[in-house]
Amino acid sequence: MSSTALAERADGRLGFGGTLARWSRRFVVGSILIAVVLVGGTAVRVWQVARISDLTEADAIVVLGAAQYSGTPSSVFAARLEQAVKLFDKGVAPRIVTVGGKQVGDVYTEAASGKNYMIGRGVPADRIIAVEEGSDTLLSIEGVSRVMGERGMSSAVLVSDPWHSLRARTMARDVGLEAWTAPTRQGPAVFTRESQAHGIMRETGALLWYQLTHFSADFPYTAVQ
């Protein structure tokens, strides 16, 4: 007798209630397995893209903003800016775009503080475009896409923390930019195994949320900024 026939006979002995309970258990177990595979697969992709540093020439180097204090970039932000300076010096792109608005009570925007920092590092002011808007990754990317489009630019190498790379790249491509990543390899996001694990978990959740809703979910760092 086939397994299907045996299952049907068993279901008949269990009755409606027993059959419903059996299939409910199977549904729950199946859903958990799917969730584990989805979350695990996304985490692996976050980790894989974090390891990529693509130095293909682009129209602009785009530095994703982070916290700044009265015009002084936080250690997280400074690490990103230093990476952008290195890429600019290597000739990866002729322009650098800084992006990010300001919190209530701030005098400087993230974009302005980033621009000032890089001018201090020797990057010519006329080579830096400050997009002073965006309170999260998606709004920042949308602002960058619009400003670059107005200037006839369409390709960008994105600079952020390694674990942020996949989500930033996904958003950039969704808004029409040709985008790849060259993340920083220094700063609090990569200091310790704990910060790396936290970054991967945070970005896995944020990316899944974005893919499900197309809204951004930016979570704060636990590392000292």
Side-chain angles (χ1 to χ4, degrees):
M1 183 178 294
S2 69
S3 59
T4 301
L6 289 171
E8 289 175 349
R9 288 183 60 182
D11 287 346
R13 290 194 299 269
L14 288 171
F16 177 77
T19 301
L20 180 61
R22 168 182 285 183
W23 285 103
S24 295
R25 287 194 296 271
R26 290 177 178 174
F27 175 79
V28 169
V29 171
S31 298
I32 292 172
L33 288 174
I34 291 172
V36 168
V37 170
L38 179 62
V39 172
T42 302
V44 169
R45 285 294 294 148
V46 168
W47 176 79
Q48 288 176 330
V49 174
R51 295 166 62 85
I52 296 172
S53 189
D54 191 336
L55 304 187
T56 302
E57 291 186 7
D59 292 328
I61 299 161
V62 176
V63 189
L64 277 300
Q68 58 81 32
Y69 307 106
S70 299
T72 301
S74 63
S75 55
V76 169
F77 196 12
R80 300 178 186 182
L81 295 167
E82 286 294 332
Q83 172 69 350
V85 172
K86 291 177 184 177
L87 296 177
F88 180 80
D89 289 342
K90 289 179 179 179
V92 172
R95 296 283 187 275
I96 299 177
V97 178
T98 59
V99 61
K102 60 183 179 181
Q103 303 297 321
V104 176
D106 284 350
V107 176
Y108 294 88
T109 62
E110 294 171 3
S113 63
K115 180 175 181 177
N116 292 336
Y117 180 94
M118 287 192 292
I119 291 173
R121 294 284 287 108
V123 179
D126 62 358
R127 295 298 186 94
I128 307 171
I129 302 167
V131 180
E132 299 183 84
E133 60 183 87
S135 57
D136 59 40
T137 303
L138 182 57
L139 292 175
S140 295
I141 291 290
E142 290 173 342
V144 167
S145 178
R146 188 190 71 254
V147 171
M148 287 184 60
E150 293 169 352
R151 294 170 179 256
M153 298 186 290
S154 60
S155 60
V157 56
L158 306 176
V159 176
S160 188
D161 307 314
W163 328 114
H164 190 209
S165 293
L166 178 57
R167 182 161 62 100
R169 190 185 74 179
T170 300
M171 290 177 172
R173 290 178 177 179
D174 283 351
V175 298
L177 287 173
E178 298 176 54
W180 45 97
T181 59
T184 180
R185 302 296 174 188
Q186 60 188 35
V190 295
F191 273 163
T192 66
R193 294 286 186 184
E194 181 181 359
S195 64
Q196 293 174 26
H198 181 264
I200 292 172
M201 289 187 293
R202 181 187 64 245
E203 284 301 321
T204 296
L207 179 57
L208 288 170
W209 175 256
Y210 170 71
Q211 291 175 325
L212 179 65
T213 67
H214 274 257
F215 286 100
S216 189
D218 285 353
F219 304 115
Y221 286 87
T222 56
V224 176
Q225 295 184 335

